Amino acid sequence: TPDTPLATMHVSTRGLNALERVGCTTAGQLARLALTRVWALPGVGHKTRRELGTLAAALRERFSTTTVVEPVVPADDGHAA
């Protein structure tokens, strides 16, 4: 289901860490996430990006999700509040 925690799925530790950095913790959030947000993170390697892209595509197909949204959490623009 879209509410399934990613930690209970077959996602690598590196993949989970990258997704948590953008606030993505459930299958539904990953299905809707614009992966360019993950790809832009420093320290995320090609293999992890490919893993997350493949999983996101499978989840989009499973949940019939075609809408991709920008980050689950707002990006830090470097300005103090």
Short mmCIF file of all heavy atoms in Angstrom, two decimals:
data_model
loop_
_atom_site.label_atom_id
_atom_site.label_comp_id
_atom_site.label_asym_id
_atom_site.label_seq_id
_atom_site.Cartn_x
_atom_site.Cartn_y
_atom_site.Cartn_z
N THR A 1 0.84 -1.19 0.00
CA THR A 1 0.00 0.00 0.00
C THR A 1 0.88 1.25 0.00
O THR A 1 2.05 1.17 0.36
CB THR A 1 -0.92 0.04 1.24
OG1 THR A 1 -0.12 0.25 2.38
CG2 THR A 1 -1.74 -1.23 1.36
N PRO A 2 0.34 2.38 -0.36
CA PRO A 2 1.12 3.62 -0.33
C PRO A 2 1.63 3.99 1.06
O PRO A 2 2.61 4.73 1.18
CB PRO A 2 0.14 4.67 -0.85
CG PRO A 2 -0.82 3.90 -1.69
CD PRO A 2 -0.96 2.57 -1.00
N ASP A 3 1.00 3.47 2.10
CA ASP A 3 1.43 3.78 3.46
C ASP A 3 2.54 2.85 3.98
O ASP A 3 3.01 3.03 5.10
CB ASP A 3 0.25 3.71 4.42
CG ASP A 3 -0.79 4.79 4.12
OD1 ASP A 3 -0.38 5.89 3.69
OD2 ASP A 3 -1.98 4.51 4.29
N THR A 4 2.97 1.90 3.18
CA THR A 4 4.00 0.96 3.60
C THR A 4 5.32 1.69 3.82
O THR A 4 5.81 2.39 2.93
CB THR A 4 4.22 -0.14 2.53
OG1 THR A 4 2.98 -0.81 2.32
CG2 THR A 4 5.28 -1.12 2.95
N PRO A 5 5.91 1.54 5.01
CA PRO A 5 7.21 2.18 5.26
C PRO A 5 8.28 1.58 4.36
O PRO A 5 8.35 0.37 4.17
CB PRO A 5 7.50 1.85 6.73
CG PRO A 5 6.19 1.48 7.32
CD PRO A 5 5.38 0.87 6.20
N LEU A 6 9.13 2.43 3.80
CA LEU A 6 10.19 1.96 2.93
C LEU A 6 11.16 1.06 3.69
O LEU A 6 11.77 0.16 3.11
CB LEU A 6 10.94 3.14 2.31
CG LEU A 6 10.12 3.95 1.30
CD1 LEU A 6 10.85 5.23 0.93
CD2 LEU A 6 9.83 3.12 0.07
N ALA A 7 11.29 1.26 4.99
CA ALA A 7 12.20 0.46 5.81
C ALA A 7 11.78 -1.01 5.84
O ALA A 7 12.61 -1.88 6.13
CB ALA A 7 12.27 1.02 7.22
N THR A 8 10.52 -1.31 5.52
CA THR A 8 10.06 -2.69 5.52
C THR A 8 10.15 -3.32 4.13
O THR A 8 9.84 -4.49 3.97
CB THR A 8 8.61 -2.81 6.03
OG1 THR A 8 7.74 -2.12 5.12
CG2 THR A 8 8.47 -2.24 7.43
N MET A 9 10.59 -2.54 3.16
CA MET A 9 10.73 -3.03 1.79
C MET A 9 12.20 -3.36 1.53
O MET A 9 13.06 -3.09 2.36
CB MET A 9 10.22 -1.97 0.82
CG MET A 9 8.75 -1.62 1.04
SD MET A 9 8.16 -0.32 -0.02
CE MET A 9 8.16 -1.14 -1.58
N HIS A 10 12.48 -3.93 0.39
CA HIS A 10 13.86 -4.28 0.04
C HIS A 10 14.58 -3.08 -0.53
O HIS A 10 14.86 -3.02 -1.73
CB HIS A 10 13.88 -5.46 -0.94
CG HIS A 10 13.37 -6.71 -0.33
ND1 HIS A 10 12.32 -7.41 -0.84
CD2 HIS A 10 13.75 -7.38 0.76
CE1 HIS A 10 12.08 -8.46 -0.09
NE2 HIS A 10 12.93 -8.47 0.90
N VAL A 11 14.90 -2.12 0.34
CA VAL A 11 15.65 -0.93 -0.05
C VAL A 11 16.96 -0.97 0.73
O VAL A 11 16.97 -1.25 1.93
CB VAL A 11 14.86 0.36 0.29
CG1 VAL A 11 15.63 1.59 -0.15
CG2 VAL A 11 13.49 0.33 -0.35
N SER A 12 18.05 -0.68 0.04
CA SER A 12 19.35 -0.71 0.70
C SER A 12 19.42 0.37 1.78
O SER A 12 18.67 1.35 1.77
CB SER A 12 20.46 -0.48 -0.32
OG SER A 12 20.42 0.86 -0.80
N THR A 13 20.36 0.19 2.69
CA THR A 13 20.56 1.19 3.74
C THR A 13 20.93 2.53 3.13
O THR A 13 20.43 3.57 3.56
CB THR A 13 21.67 0.72 4.70
OG1 THR A 13 21.26 -0.53 5.28
CG2 THR A 13 21.91 1.73 5.80
N ARG A 14 21.77 2.53 2.12
CA ARG A 14 22.15 3.79 1.46
C ARG A 14 20.94 4.44 0.80
O ARG A 14 20.78 5.66 0.84
CB ARG A 14 23.25 3.54 0.44
CG ARG A 14 24.56 3.20 1.09
CD ARG A 14 25.63 2.88 0.08
NE ARG A 14 26.80 2.39 0.78
CZ ARG A 14 28.02 2.57 0.37
NH1 ARG A 14 28.26 3.21 -0.76
NH2 ARG A 14 29.03 2.08 1.07
N GLY A 15 20.10 3.62 0.20
CA GLY A 15 18.88 4.14 -0.43
C GLY A 15 17.95 4.75 0.60
O GLY A 15 17.40 5.84 0.40
N LEU A 16 17.75 4.05 1.71
CA LEU A 16 16.89 4.58 2.78
C LEU A 16 17.44 5.89 3.33
O LEU A 16 16.68 6.84 3.55
CB LEU A 16 16.76 3.56 3.91
CG LEU A 16 15.88 2.34 3.64
CD1 LEU A 16 15.99 1.36 4.80
CD2 LEU A 16 14.44 2.76 3.43
N ASN A 17 18.75 5.95 3.54
CA ASN A 17 19.35 7.17 4.06
C ASN A 17 19.14 8.34 3.10
O ASN A 17 18.82 9.45 3.53
CB ASN A 17 20.84 6.96 4.33
CG ASN A 17 21.10 6.07 5.51
OD1 ASN A 17 20.24 5.89 6.37
ND2 ASN A 17 22.29 5.48 5.57
N ALA A 18 19.31 8.10 1.81
CA ALA A 18 19.12 9.17 0.83
C ALA A 18 17.67 9.65 0.82
O ALA A 18 17.40 10.86 0.80
CB ALA A 18 19.52 8.68 -0.56
N LEU A 19 16.73 8.71 0.88
CA LEU A 19 15.32 9.08 0.86
C LEU A 19 14.91 9.81 2.14
O LEU A 19 14.13 10.77 2.09
CB LEU A 19 14.45 7.85 0.64
CG LEU A 19 14.57 7.22 -0.74
CD1 LEU A 19 13.86 5.88 -0.79
CD2 LEU A 19 14.05 8.17 -1.81
N GLU A 20 15.45 9.39 3.26
CA GLU A 20 15.14 10.07 4.52
C GLU A 20 15.63 11.51 4.51
O GLU A 20 15.01 12.39 5.10
CB GLU A 20 15.73 9.30 5.70
CG GLU A 20 14.95 8.03 6.00
CD GLU A 20 15.57 7.17 7.09
OE1 GLU A 20 16.59 7.59 7.68
OE2 GLU A 20 15.03 6.09 7.35
N ARG A 21 16.73 11.76 3.80
CA ARG A 21 17.27 13.13 3.72
C ARG A 21 16.33 14.08 3.00
O ARG A 21 16.39 15.29 3.19
CB ARG A 21 18.63 13.11 3.03
CG ARG A 21 19.70 12.51 3.95
CD ARG A 21 20.98 12.17 3.24
NE ARG A 21 21.63 13.30 2.61
CZ ARG A 21 22.67 13.18 1.80
NH1 ARG A 21 23.18 12.00 1.52
NH2 ARG A 21 23.21 14.25 1.25
N VAL A 22 15.45 13.54 2.15
CA VAL A 22 14.46 14.38 1.47
C VAL A 22 13.06 14.19 2.05
O VAL A 22 12.07 14.64 1.47
CB VAL A 22 14.46 14.16 -0.06
CG1 VAL A 22 15.76 14.61 -0.68
CG2 VAL A 22 14.14 12.72 -0.42
N GLY A 23 12.98 13.51 3.20
CA GLY A 23 11.70 13.36 3.89
C GLY A 23 10.79 12.30 3.32
O GLY A 23 9.59 12.31 3.58
N CYS A 24 11.33 11.37 2.58
CA CYS A 24 10.53 10.31 1.94
C CYS A 24 10.67 9.03 2.75
O CYS A 24 11.77 8.45 2.81
CB CYS A 24 11.02 10.12 0.52
SG CYS A 24 10.09 8.90 -0.40
N THR A 25 9.57 8.57 3.37
CA THR A 25 9.64 7.38 4.21
C THR A 25 8.62 6.30 3.87
O THR A 25 8.68 5.22 4.43
CB THR A 25 9.46 7.76 5.70
OG1 THR A 25 8.19 8.40 5.85
CG2 THR A 25 10.57 8.69 6.18
N THR A 26 7.70 6.58 2.95
CA THR A 26 6.69 5.59 2.58
C THR A 26 6.72 5.30 1.08
O THR A 26 7.23 6.10 0.29
CB THR A 26 5.26 6.04 2.96
OG1 THR A 26 4.89 7.14 2.12
CG2 THR A 26 5.15 6.40 4.43
N ALA A 27 6.13 4.17 0.70
CA ALA A 27 6.08 3.78 -0.70
C ALA A 27 5.33 4.82 -1.53
O ALA A 27 5.74 5.15 -2.65
CB ALA A 27 5.42 2.41 -0.84
N GLY A 28 4.25 5.35 -1.01
CA GLY A 28 3.47 6.36 -1.74
C GLY A 28 4.25 7.64 -1.95
O GLY A 28 4.17 8.26 -3.02
N GLN A 29 5.03 8.04 -0.95
CA GLN A 29 5.85 9.24 -1.10
C GLN A 29 6.91 9.03 -2.18
O GLN A 29 7.16 9.92 -2.99
CB GLN A 29 6.53 9.61 0.22
CG GLN A 29 5.59 10.16 1.25
CD GLN A 29 6.25 10.36 2.60
OE1 GLN A 29 7.17 9.63 2.97
NE2 GLN A 29 5.77 11.34 3.35
N LEU A 30 7.52 7.85 -2.21
CA LEU A 30 8.52 7.57 -3.23
C LEU A 30 7.89 7.55 -4.62
O LEU A 30 8.47 8.05 -5.58
CB LEU A 30 9.24 6.25 -2.95
CG LEU A 30 10.29 5.84 -3.97
CD1 LEU A 30 11.35 6.93 -4.18
CD2 LEU A 30 10.95 4.53 -3.56
N ALA A 31 6.69 7.01 -4.73
CA ALA A 31 6.00 6.96 -6.03
C ALA A 31 5.74 8.37 -6.57
O ALA A 31 5.73 8.57 -7.77
CB ALA A 31 4.69 6.19 -5.91
N ARG A 32 5.56 9.33 -5.67
CA ARG A 32 5.26 10.71 -6.08
C ARG A 32 6.49 11.62 -6.12
O ARG A 32 6.40 12.75 -6.59
CB ARG A 32 4.23 11.31 -5.14
CG ARG A 32 2.87 10.64 -5.21
CD ARG A 32 1.83 11.34 -4.34
NE ARG A 32 2.26 11.58 -2.98
CZ ARG A 32 2.13 10.73 -1.96
NH1 ARG A 32 1.57 9.55 -2.17
NH2 ARG A 32 2.54 11.04 -0.75
N LEU A 33 7.62 11.14 -5.64
CA LEU A 33 8.81 11.98 -5.51
C LEU A 33 9.51 12.22 -6.84
O LEU A 33 9.72 11.28 -7.61
CB LEU A 33 9.79 11.31 -4.53
CG LEU A 33 11.09 12.05 -4.27
CD1 LEU A 33 10.82 13.33 -3.50
CD2 LEU A 33 12.03 11.16 -3.48
N ALA A 34 9.89 13.45 -7.08
CA ALA A 34 10.73 13.77 -8.23
C ALA A 34 12.15 13.34 -7.87
O ALA A 34 12.77 13.89 -6.98
CB ALA A 34 10.68 15.27 -8.53
N LEU A 35 12.63 12.33 -8.55
CA LEU A 35 13.93 11.77 -8.18
C LEU A 35 15.10 12.71 -8.45
O LEU A 35 16.19 12.47 -7.95
CB LEU A 35 14.14 10.43 -8.88
CG LEU A 35 13.24 9.32 -8.36
CD1 LEU A 35 13.50 8.02 -9.12
CD2 LEU A 35 13.43 9.09 -6.87
N THR A 36 14.87 13.78 -9.16
CA THR A 36 15.94 14.75 -9.35
C THR A 36 16.39 15.31 -8.00
O THR A 36 17.53 15.69 -7.83
CB THR A 36 15.51 15.91 -10.27
OG1 THR A 36 14.31 16.48 -9.76
CG2 THR A 36 15.30 15.42 -11.69
N ARG A 37 15.49 15.31 -7.04
CA ARG A 37 15.83 15.77 -5.69
C ARG A 37 16.85 14.82 -5.05
O ARG A 37 17.80 15.26 -4.42
CB ARG A 37 14.55 15.85 -4.85
CG ARG A 37 14.75 16.26 -3.44
CD ARG A 37 15.09 17.76 -3.35
NE ARG A 37 15.15 18.12 -1.96
CZ ARG A 37 16.25 18.60 -1.37
NH1 ARG A 37 17.32 18.82 -2.05
NH2 ARG A 37 16.24 18.90 -0.09
N VAL A 38 16.66 13.52 -5.22
CA VAL A 38 17.59 12.54 -4.68
C VAL A 38 18.91 12.60 -5.45
O VAL A 38 19.99 12.56 -4.87
CB VAL A 38 17.00 11.11 -4.73
CG1 VAL A 38 18.02 10.07 -4.31
CG2 VAL A 38 15.76 11.02 -3.86
N TRP A 39 18.83 12.69 -6.76
CA TRP A 39 20.04 12.70 -7.59
C TRP A 39 20.92 13.90 -7.28
O TRP A 39 22.12 13.84 -7.48
CB TRP A 39 19.67 12.68 -9.06
CG TRP A 39 18.98 11.42 -9.48
CD1 TRP A 39 19.07 10.19 -8.89
CD2 TRP A 39 18.06 11.26 -10.55
NE1 TRP A 39 18.28 9.29 -9.53
CE2 TRP A 39 17.65 9.90 -10.55
CE3 TRP A 39 17.54 12.13 -11.50
CZ2 TRP A 39 16.75 9.41 -11.48
CZ3 TRP A 39 16.65 11.63 -12.42
CH2 TRP A 39 16.26 10.29 -12.41
N ALA A 40 20.34 14.98 -6.79
CA ALA A 40 21.11 16.18 -6.49
C ALA A 40 21.82 16.11 -5.14
O ALA A 40 22.67 16.94 -4.86
CB ALA A 40 20.18 17.41 -6.52
N LEU A 41 21.49 15.13 -4.32
CA LEU A 41 22.12 15.02 -3.01
C LEU A 41 23.58 14.60 -3.14
O LEU A 41 23.89 13.67 -3.88
CB LEU A 41 21.40 13.98 -2.15
CG LEU A 41 20.03 14.35 -1.61
CD1 LEU A 41 19.38 13.13 -0.96
CD2 LEU A 41 20.15 15.47 -0.61
N PRO A 42 24.47 15.27 -2.42
CA PRO A 42 25.86 14.84 -2.45
C PRO A 42 26.02 13.49 -1.75
O PRO A 42 25.31 13.19 -0.80
CB PRO A 42 26.59 15.94 -1.67
CG PRO A 42 25.54 16.67 -0.91
CD PRO A 42 24.23 16.44 -1.59
N GLY A 43 26.91 12.67 -2.26
CA GLY A 43 27.20 11.39 -1.63
C GLY A 43 26.28 10.25 -2.02
O GLY A 43 26.40 9.16 -1.48
N VAL A 44 25.37 10.48 -2.96
CA VAL A 44 24.49 9.40 -3.42
C VAL A 44 25.06 8.88 -4.74
O VAL A 44 25.14 9.60 -5.72
CB VAL A 44 23.02 9.88 -3.62
CG1 VAL A 44 22.16 8.76 -4.15
CG2 VAL A 44 22.48 10.42 -2.31
N GLY A 45 25.50 7.63 -4.70
CA GLY A 45 26.16 7.05 -5.87
C GLY A 45 25.21 6.58 -6.95
O GLY A 45 23.99 6.49 -6.76
N HIS A 46 25.81 6.26 -8.10
CA HIS A 46 25.03 5.85 -9.27
C HIS A 46 24.19 4.60 -8.99
O HIS A 46 23.03 4.51 -9.40
CB HIS A 46 25.96 5.61 -10.46
CG HIS A 46 25.25 5.20 -11.70
ND1 HIS A 46 24.46 6.06 -12.42
CD2 HIS A 46 25.18 4.00 -12.33
CE1 HIS A 46 23.93 5.41 -13.45
NE2 HIS A 46 24.36 4.16 -13.42
N LYS A 47 24.77 3.62 -8.32
CA LYS A 47 24.05 2.38 -8.04
C LYS A 47 22.82 2.65 -7.17
O LYS A 47 21.74 2.09 -7.41
CB LYS A 47 24.99 1.39 -7.34
CG LYS A 47 24.41 0.02 -7.15
CD LYS A 47 25.46 -0.92 -6.56
CE LYS A 47 24.87 -2.28 -6.30
NZ LYS A 47 25.87 -3.19 -5.71
N THR A 48 22.96 3.51 -6.17
CA THR A 48 21.83 3.86 -5.30
C THR A 48 20.78 4.63 -6.08
O THR A 48 19.57 4.37 -5.94
CB THR A 48 22.32 4.67 -4.09
OG1 THR A 48 23.28 3.89 -3.38
CG2 THR A 48 21.17 5.03 -3.17
N ARG A 49 21.20 5.56 -6.92
CA ARG A 49 20.25 6.32 -7.75
C ARG A 49 19.47 5.39 -8.65
O ARG A 49 18.25 5.52 -8.81
CB ARG A 49 21.00 7.35 -8.58
CG ARG A 49 21.57 8.47 -7.79
CD ARG A 49 22.29 9.45 -8.71
NE ARG A 49 22.82 10.53 -7.91
CZ ARG A 49 24.07 10.95 -7.97
NH1 ARG A 49 24.92 10.38 -8.80
NH2 ARG A 49 24.47 11.95 -7.23
N ARG A 50 20.17 4.44 -9.25
CA ARG A 50 19.52 3.48 -10.14
C ARG A 50 18.52 2.62 -9.36
O ARG A 50 17.41 2.37 -9.82
CB ARG A 50 20.56 2.63 -10.84
CG ARG A 50 19.99 1.74 -11.91
CD ARG A 50 21.05 1.02 -12.69
NE ARG A 50 22.06 0.50 -11.78
CZ ARG A 50 23.32 0.30 -12.10
NH1 ARG A 50 23.75 0.55 -13.31
NH2 ARG A 50 24.18 -0.19 -11.22
N GLU A 51 18.92 2.17 -8.17
CA GLU A 51 18.03 1.37 -7.32
C GLU A 51 16.75 2.14 -7.01
O GLU A 51 15.64 1.61 -7.14
CB GLU A 51 18.74 1.02 -6.01
CG GLU A 51 17.82 0.40 -4.97
CD GLU A 51 18.39 0.40 -3.55
OE1 GLU A 51 19.43 1.03 -3.30
OE2 GLU A 51 17.76 -0.21 -2.68
N LEU A 52 16.89 3.39 -6.60
CA LEU A 52 15.73 4.19 -6.23
C LEU A 52 14.85 4.52 -7.44
O LEU A 52 13.63 4.52 -7.34
CB LEU A 52 16.17 5.47 -5.51
CG LEU A 52 16.92 5.23 -4.20
CD1 LEU A 52 17.37 6.56 -3.61
CD2 LEU A 52 16.08 4.44 -3.22
N GLY A 53 15.48 4.78 -8.57
CA GLY A 53 14.72 5.05 -9.79
C GLY A 53 13.90 3.85 -10.24
O GLY A 53 12.73 3.98 -10.62
N THR A 54 14.50 2.67 -10.15
CA THR A 54 13.80 1.44 -10.52
C THR A 54 12.63 1.18 -9.58
O THR A 54 11.52 0.84 -10.02
CB THR A 54 14.78 0.25 -10.50
OG1 THR A 54 15.83 0.51 -11.45
CG2 THR A 54 14.09 -1.05 -10.85
N LEU A 55 12.88 1.33 -8.29
CA LEU A 55 11.81 1.11 -7.30
C LEU A 55 10.70 2.13 -7.47
O LEU A 55 9.51 1.78 -7.43
CB LEU A 55 12.38 1.18 -5.89
CG LEU A 55 11.38 0.98 -4.75
CD1 LEU A 55 10.63 -0.35 -4.89
CD2 LEU A 55 12.09 1.06 -3.41
N ALA A 56 11.04 3.40 -7.68
CA ALA A 56 10.02 4.44 -7.85
C ALA A 56 9.15 4.14 -9.07
O ALA A 56 7.93 4.28 -9.02
CB ALA A 56 10.67 5.81 -7.98
N ALA A 57 9.78 3.71 -10.17
CA ALA A 57 9.02 3.40 -11.38
C ALA A 57 8.05 2.24 -11.13
O ALA A 57 6.89 2.28 -11.56
CB ALA A 57 9.97 3.05 -12.53
N ALA A 58 8.51 1.22 -10.41
CA ALA A 58 7.65 0.07 -10.11
C ALA A 58 6.48 0.49 -9.21
O ALA A 58 5.34 0.05 -9.41
CB ALA A 58 8.46 -1.03 -9.43
N LEU A 59 6.76 1.35 -8.24
CA LEU A 59 5.69 1.81 -7.35
C LEU A 59 4.69 2.70 -8.09
O LEU A 59 3.49 2.62 -7.84
CB LEU A 59 6.29 2.56 -6.15
CG LEU A 59 7.07 1.69 -5.16
CD1 LEU A 59 7.78 2.56 -4.14
CD2 LEU A 59 6.17 0.68 -4.49
N ARG A 60 5.18 3.54 -9.00
CA ARG A 60 4.27 4.37 -9.79
C ARG A 60 3.33 3.50 -10.61
O ARG A 60 2.13 3.79 -10.70
CB ARG A 60 5.07 5.30 -10.71
CG ARG A 60 5.70 6.44 -9.98
CD ARG A 60 6.42 7.38 -10.93
NE ARG A 60 7.15 8.35 -10.14
CZ ARG A 60 8.45 8.58 -10.25
NH1 ARG A 60 9.16 7.95 -11.15
NH2 ARG A 60 9.02 9.46 -9.47
N GLU A 61 3.88 2.45 -11.19
CA GLU A 61 3.04 1.55 -11.98
C GLU A 61 2.03 0.83 -11.09
O GLU A 61 0.85 0.72 -11.42
CB GLU A 61 3.92 0.53 -12.71
CG GLU A 61 3.14 -0.39 -13.61
CD GLU A 61 4.04 -1.31 -14.40
OE1 GLU A 61 5.16 -0.91 -14.75
OE2 GLU A 61 3.61 -2.45 -14.66
N ARG A 62 2.49 0.35 -9.95
CA ARG A 62 1.62 -0.39 -9.04
C ARG A 62 0.49 0.47 -8.50
O ARG A 62 -0.65 0.04 -8.38
CB ARG A 62 2.43 -0.95 -7.89
CG ARG A 62 1.60 -1.74 -6.93
CD ARG A 62 2.44 -2.37 -5.85
NE ARG A 62 1.62 -3.23 -5.05
CZ ARG A 62 1.88 -4.48 -4.78
NH1 ARG A 62 2.97 -5.04 -5.24
NH2 ARG A 62 1.07 -5.19 -4.04
N PHE A 63 0.81 1.73 -8.15
CA PHE A 63 -0.20 2.62 -7.57
C PHE A 63 -0.87 3.49 -8.62
O PHE A 63 -1.67 4.35 -8.30
CB PHE A 63 0.44 3.53 -6.51
CG PHE A 63 1.09 2.79 -5.37
CD1 PHE A 63 2.25 3.27 -4.80
CD2 PHE A 63 0.56 1.62 -4.86
CE1 PHE A 63 2.87 2.61 -3.75
CE2 PHE A 63 1.16 0.94 -3.81
CZ PHE A 63 2.32 1.44 -3.25
N SER A 64 -0.53 3.28 -9.89
CA SER A 64 -1.07 4.08 -10.99
C SER A 64 -0.86 5.57 -10.74
O SER A 64 -1.74 6.40 -10.97
CB SER A 64 -2.56 3.79 -11.21
OG SER A 64 -2.75 2.44 -11.54
N THR A 65 0.33 5.89 -10.28
CA THR A 65 0.67 7.28 -9.99
C THR A 65 1.45 7.84 -11.17
O THR A 65 2.49 7.32 -11.52
CB THR A 65 1.55 7.37 -8.72
OG1 THR A 65 0.82 6.81 -7.65
CG2 THR A 65 1.91 8.80 -8.40
N THR A 66 0.92 8.88 -11.76
CA THR A 66 1.63 9.52 -12.86
C THR A 66 2.12 10.90 -12.47
O THR A 66 2.97 11.47 -13.11
CB THR A 66 0.74 9.64 -14.11
OG1 THR A 66 -0.45 10.35 -13.74
CG2 THR A 66 0.38 8.27 -14.64
N THR A 67 1.57 11.44 -11.41
CA THR A 67 1.95 12.77 -10.96
C THR A 67 3.24 12.69 -10.16
O THR A 67 3.33 11.94 -9.20
CB THR A 67 0.86 13.41 -10.09
OG1 THR A 67 -0.34 13.43 -10.84
CG2 THR A 67 1.24 14.81 -9.67
N VAL A 68 4.22 13.45 -10.58
CA VAL A 68 5.48 13.53 -9.85
C VAL A 68 5.54 14.91 -9.24
O VAL A 68 5.36 15.91 -9.92
CB VAL A 68 6.68 13.30 -10.79
CG1 VAL A 68 7.98 13.45 -10.04
CG2 VAL A 68 6.58 11.93 -11.42
N VAL A 69 5.78 14.94 -7.96
CA VAL A 69 5.86 16.22 -7.26
C VAL A 69 7.28 16.49 -6.86
O VAL A 69 8.11 15.60 -6.76
CB VAL A 69 4.96 16.25 -6.01
CG1 VAL A 69 3.51 16.12 -6.39
CG2 VAL A 69 5.34 15.16 -5.03
N GLU A 70 7.56 17.75 -6.63
CA GLU A 70 8.88 18.12 -6.14
C GLU A 70 9.02 17.69 -4.70
O GLU A 70 8.12 17.08 -4.15
CB GLU A 70 9.09 19.62 -6.35
CG GLU A 70 9.54 19.95 -7.76
CD GLU A 70 10.78 19.19 -8.20
OE1 GLU A 70 11.79 19.15 -7.48
OE2 GLU A 70 10.75 18.61 -9.29
N PRO A 71 10.10 17.98 -4.06
CA PRO A 71 10.46 17.37 -2.78
C PRO A 71 9.32 17.26 -1.77
O PRO A 71 8.47 18.13 -1.69
CB PRO A 71 11.54 18.29 -2.23
CG PRO A 71 12.03 19.07 -3.38
CD PRO A 71 10.94 19.09 -4.40
N VAL A 72 9.38 16.18 -1.02
CA VAL A 72 8.41 15.95 0.04
C VAL A 72 8.57 17.02 1.10
O VAL A 72 7.61 17.50 1.67
CB VAL A 72 8.61 14.54 0.64
CG1 VAL A 72 7.69 14.32 1.83
CG2 VAL A 72 8.38 13.48 -0.42
N VAL A 73 9.81 17.42 1.35
CA VAL A 73 10.08 18.51 2.29
C VAL A 73 10.71 19.65 1.50
O VAL A 73 11.38 19.42 0.51
CB VAL A 73 11.03 18.07 3.43
CG1 VAL A 73 10.37 17.04 4.32
CG2 VAL A 73 12.33 17.55 2.90
N PRO A 74 10.50 20.90 1.93
CA PRO A 74 11.07 22.02 1.21
C PRO A 74 12.60 21.96 1.19
O PRO A 74 13.21 21.56 2.17
CB PRO A 74 10.60 23.26 1.99
CG PRO A 74 9.51 22.77 2.87
CD PRO A 74 9.71 21.30 3.06
N ALA A 75 13.17 22.35 0.07
CA ALA A 75 14.62 22.39 -0.02
C ALA A 75 15.15 23.57 0.79
O ALA A 75 14.50 24.61 0.88
CB ALA A 75 15.03 22.56 -1.48
N ASP A 76 16.31 23.39 1.36
CA ASP A 76 16.95 24.46 2.13
C ASP A 76 17.56 25.44 1.16
O ASP A 76 18.45 25.09 0.37
CB ASP A 76 18.02 23.87 3.06
CG ASP A 76 18.73 24.93 3.88
OD1 ASP A 76 18.24 26.07 3.94
OD2 ASP A 76 19.77 24.60 4.47
N ASP A 77 17.07 26.67 1.17
CA ASP A 77 17.58 27.67 0.23
C ASP A 77 18.76 28.45 0.78
O ASP A 77 19.26 29.38 0.16
CB ASP A 77 16.47 28.62 -0.22
CG ASP A 77 15.92 29.45 0.92
OD1 ASP A 77 16.43 29.36 2.06
OD2 ASP A 77 14.96 30.21 0.68
N GLY A 78 19.21 28.08 1.97
CA GLY A 78 20.38 28.72 2.55
C GLY A 78 20.08 29.99 3.31
O GLY A 78 20.97 30.62 3.86
N HIS A 79 18.83 30.40 3.38
CA HIS A 79 18.44 31.61 4.09
C HIS A 79 17.91 31.25 5.46
O HIS A 79 17.09 30.36 5.60
CB HIS A 79 17.36 32.38 3.32
CG HIS A 79 17.86 32.94 2.02
ND1 HIS A 79 17.79 32.20 0.86
CD2 HIS A 79 18.45 34.12 1.71
CE1 HIS A 79 18.31 32.94 -0.13
NE2 HIS A 79 18.72 34.09 0.38
N ALA A 80 18.37 31.96 6.46
CA ALA A 80 17.88 31.72 7.81
C ALA A 80 16.48 32.30 7.95
O ALA A 80 16.17 33.33 7.37
CB ALA A 80 18.82 32.37 8.82
N ALA A 81 15.66 31.63 8.73
CA ALA A 81 14.28 32.09 8.92
C ALA A 81 14.22 33.17 9.97
O ALA A 81 15.00 33.33 10.82
CB ALA A 81 13.40 30.93 9.34
#
